[in-house]
Amino acid sequence: MAAFPSPAAGHEEKYIGDSLHEHIIRKPSATLVWMFDYDFERMNLRKGDIAVFEVDRRPHDECLALVEHFGETFPCQLFWRHEKWFAVTDDRSGKVTEDMTLRGVARCFIKDLLVE
């Protein structure tokens, strides 16, 4: 008599790695980690939160990106409007220009849940 297949067959979770670090940072040589030392209201990120950026990830509308402009590196939200990219932070916004360099696009976030 044949046994019924397991109801969990086909629903197994993917292997995430030997550690949380391995799961979060899939490409160590192409990953930048940014810890916020201020609140970034528009993305609901607070002081102490961490964003993991991948250098080779393509930007998409409303993504969080790490951008360099005249030697200053900062996270901003990117928007694709009217065939142009726009960069927005809590206190600045404008069209992405030729002198701005995309350093990475966020892949995941780690929220700081410690209460002071």
Side-chain angles (χ1 to χ4, degrees):
M1 182 167 142
F4 289 105
S6 167
H11 299 283
E12 295 87 2
E13 292 183 10
K14 293 180 186 176
Y15 176 71
I16 67 167
D18 292 328
S19 68
L20 183 60
H21 183 270
E22 187 177 306
H23 175 66
I24 292 171
I25 301 179
R26 295 180 183 168
K27 304 174 194 174
S29 63
T31 300
L32 302 169
V33 177
W34 181 277
M35 179 181 273
F36 286 85
D37 58 355
Y38 56 90
D39 290 345
F40 191 27
E41 297 290 332
R42 73 175 304 104
M43 294 292 294
N44 195 28
L45 295 166
R46 305 282 178 243
K47 182 178 180 178
D49 291 351
I50 296 172
V52 178
F53 294 91
E54 286 186 353
V55 174
D56 57 351
R57 190 166 190 201
R58 293 175 53 100
H60 56 278
D61 190 34
E62 299 185 20
C63 70
L64 179 67
L66 196 59
V67 173
E68 183 178 324
H69 188 238
F70 294 124
E72 180 187 3
T73 302
F74 57 91
C76 63
Q77 191 172 18
L78 295 179
F79 292 93
W80 180 251
R81 301 290 185 267
H82 309 292
E83 304 296 318
K84 295 180 178 123
W85 284 108
F86 291 86
V88 180
T89 67
D90 284 341
D91 56 348
R92 297 185 282 184
S93 65
K95 190 176 91 170
V96 173
T97 61
E98 294 284 329
D99 52 346
M100 297 173 89
T101 304
L102 179 66
R103 291 289 173 211
V105 175
R107 190 181 74 73
C108 65
F109 305 97
I110 303 169
K111 299 290 286 177
D112 181 6
L113 300 176
L114 299 176
V115 179
E116 291 185 17

